[in-house]
Amino acid sequence: MPSMRPGAGGRSYVLRFISGKYQGGEFPIVNDKPIIVGRSSDLDMVLVEDMVSRKHARITMQQDQIWIEDLGSTNGTFVNGEKIKRARLKEGDRVLIGTSILKVIAGEGGRAAESTDAAKRDLENVAAARRTTQARTMSGSIEEVPLPDLLQLFATSKKNGVLVIRTENDDIGKIYLRKGVIYYATINDLDDVQAMKSIFRMLTWQKGLFDLDPPDEREFPNEMNLSVQEVLMEGLRQLDEFNEIRNELPDLNSRLVFSQPVIPPFKDLKPEELDILQLAHNYGHLETVLNKSAATDLDTVQIILKLIKNAYLRPE
């Protein structure tokens, strides 16, 4: 069987730009041929943007090992959300340099044989084509860069701006970042839905496009000041628990109505359960109750399921 190691003539590796002004471009990793990345025009991979140092990083491959080394850059080099001085890369890893996210992917042997000059020209052409179609500096797909990974990258690199996610269902989520810290979030600009709840809902999105827009100078009521790590730990925990009971829930468009007559006594209910019962009485639809509830989606649906089970409410 022929060897599939990079540089052995069978399989090779390529750096694919999955975000930034060079999105869609590729740069081959060639065995024993270092790639110097930076803003200076005489380097191998030239990334023309302010956040990239003149001589930013070095990527090398020897036999079956790919390494990346930061060359003392001002804004740092990140691998899978962690700032590195030197790290080994493997297939699927994501590298953040400036506003570009590069993914290590398996390529064909012929692609790796492409000259550095040809690869540089390809990146220039990609950047020129993108300049004519959009002004945003950082964009991509959350299928390529899942939202948790994206937020970790932005947190570690202390990004400022508004992360905008557009789904195929025409939902628009916005996460507001200040030096990598989340301070507000909305979905479809709904004032009813709390910021933390909006982020947790966005973590369920599997498909969509993202852009990092410039910072928004507005002040919002009830601003948060939470690290991405805090948000992700709690959000992903809630998501796991929510998925366990998802099949028990009525459809979001269902109406929640009082059982007739209400047999169990109201005095048996806790204050937070009475709050949800009142919301169901006032608004009816499950989706509206979720939006209006001051509790998280997980806590709210757990209470709703209890109220249905104990015959206070019934879906219709």
Side-chain angles (χ1 to χ4, degrees), residues 40-94:
S40 181
S41 60
D42 60 346
L43 301 182
D44 305 304
M45 184 192 292
V46 181
L47 304 180
V48 185
E49 57 171 288
D50 292 342
M51 291 188 67
V52 176
S53 296
R54 289 182 61 80
K55 202 172 182 180
H56 197 107
R58 179 191 293 113
I59 300 168
T60 56
M61 181 167 71
Q62 294 178 322
Q63 298 179 348
D64 61 346
Q65 294 189 3
I66 307 170
W67 291 88
I68 184 168
E69 177 186 2
D70 184 80
L71 299 177
S73 67
T74 301
N75 293 298
T77 302
F78 303 85
V79 176
N80 298 330
E82 294 187 9
K83 191 172 186 178
I84 58 96
K85 291 186 176 178
R86 186 171 186 264
R88 184 176 173 183
L89 296 175
K90 61 184 183 302
E91 185 177 349
D93 281 348
R94 299 179 184 89

